[in-house]
Amino acid sequence: GAVVSQHPSWVICKSGTSVKIECRSLDFQATTMFWYRQFPKQSLMLMATSNEGSKATYEQGVEKDKFLINHASLTLSTLTVTSAHPEDSSFYICSATRAGWVTEAFFGQGTRLTVV
Amino acid sequence: AQKITQTQPGMFVQEKEAVTLDCTYDTSDPSYGLFWYKQPSSGEMIFLIYQGSYDQQNATEGRYSLNFQKARKSANLVISASQLGDSAMYFCAMREGGTGNQFYFGTGTSLTVIP
């Protein structure tokens, strides 16, 4: 299957700092990338959908100024958690899809963010 | 209404036995895709199997098969000959053809394979 690489796998940062998470599709062009947040033993919560070259579409309740998403190319999307606080600590995971609605989503390895 | 419903929070199965994980879905779109993903404790999401709404036959991928009952809107995952490495969270997901790219995920089922 296709490969999506997410970096870093884990990060610890201080309150008030910003953290950038990268999501790369290594062997295909990702027309759409999704960013999810997952709390322990819960399902994935969609945060935003990003299409290359356009602004991300955020889900209701997700602060776009806090979670900045950039999808500058067909192989790279970034999520920046700005002015992180302990409540932002979570597992963040990205996925990417190729063109065509029937295709599966390929997921990155996820990033465990801890804000101290 | 929930798009995807998984009613089994946790399941246990004996090694080498078969197990069925339930999934029902809700959509009025005639074009949709159904997916199953496995999430081990490491956190990565592993794609297992796909079923399209127009597919006539149930999907199969190795030990995984999807019991697709369109009229009942169910898409149960069957794992045959369970292995210890199958212990993980399993998520059912749906993607609708007419409303863009969004995936809808169920709440997941935690499967534990007992030796």
Side-chain angles (χ1 to χ4, degrees):
Chain A
V3 178
V4 174
S5 176
Q6 186 173 341
H7 177 82
S9 302
W10 59 271
V11 58
I12 301 173
C13 70
K14 291 184 177 181
S15 286
T17 61
S18 295
V19 174
K20 180 184 282 188
I21 303 170
E22 291 189 348
C23 181
R24 292 180 184 274
S25 57
L26 298 183
D27 54 359
F28 69 101
Q29 292 186 327
T31 52
T32 305
M33 287 187 170
F34 304 92
W35 287 95
Y36 298 88
R37 183 172 180 175
Q38 187 179 29
F39 293 102
K41 299 190 186 300
Q42 294 190 23
S43 188
L44 283 74
M45 182 187 77
L46 180 66
M47 299 175 66
T49 303
S50 74
N51 294 294
E52 183 263 342
S54 61
K55 289 185 177 180
T57 302
Y58 289 81
E59 294 300 299
Q60 195 171 13
V62 178
E63 299 176 58
K64 59 181 68 177
D65 293 332
K66 180 166 190 62
F67 299 100
L68 301 178
I69 291 172
N70 183 272
H71 193 162
S73 74
L74 283 171
T75 60
L76 174 64
S77 177
T78 59
L79 166 67
T80 302
V81 183
T82 62
S83 187
H85 290 286
E87 56 265 30
D88 297 326
S89 299
S90 191
F91 187 69
Y92 295 87
I93 191 165
C94 70
S95 72
T97 61
R98 293 171 290 200
W101 70 271
V102 296
T103 60
E104 65 271 39
F106 299 97
F107 285 82
Q109 303 93 322
T111 298
R112 192 160 304 281
L113 170 64
T114 302
V115 185
V116 298
Chain B
Q2 291 288 336
K3 288 281 190 179
I4 295 287
T5 301
Q6 293 180 255
T7 58
Q8 305 155 314
M11 290 281 286
F12 291 87
V13 64
Q14 203 78 39
E15 193 177 7
K16 299 180 184 177
E17 297 291 314
V19 63
T20 298
L21 306 184
D22 295 341
C23 173
T24 56
Y25 59 94
D26 181 31
T27 181
S28 57
D29 195 324
S31 299
Y32 54 89
L34 297 160
F35 307 82
W36 276 93
Y37 287 87
K38 171 184 178 182
Q39 187 179 40
S41 56
S42 58
E44 61 186 307
M45 293 283 283
I46 302 167
F47 165 72
L48 296 178
I49 195 166
Y50 159 81
Q51 180 85 45
S53 60
Y54 298 116
D55 292 344
Q56 296 294 316
Q57 295 189 335
N58 288 343
T60 60
E61 286 288 346
R63 294 187 297 112
Y64 304 108
S65 61
L66 201 152
N67 184 359
F68 182 44
Q69 297 189 40
K70 196 170 182 176
R72 296 179 59 186
K73 292 189 176 180
S74 75
N76 298 339
L77 176 70
V78 180
I79 304 175
S80 62
S82 296
Q83 301 172 357
L84 295 178
D86 293 335
S87 294
M89 282 290 290
Y90 288 81
F91 291 97
C92 179
M94 177 176 67
R95 196 179 189 189
E96 294 171 318
T99 58
N101 294 311
Q102 184 175 348
F103 278 76
Y104 299 95
F105 284 88
T107 51
T109 296
S110 176
L111 177 67
T112 302
V113 180
I114 304 167

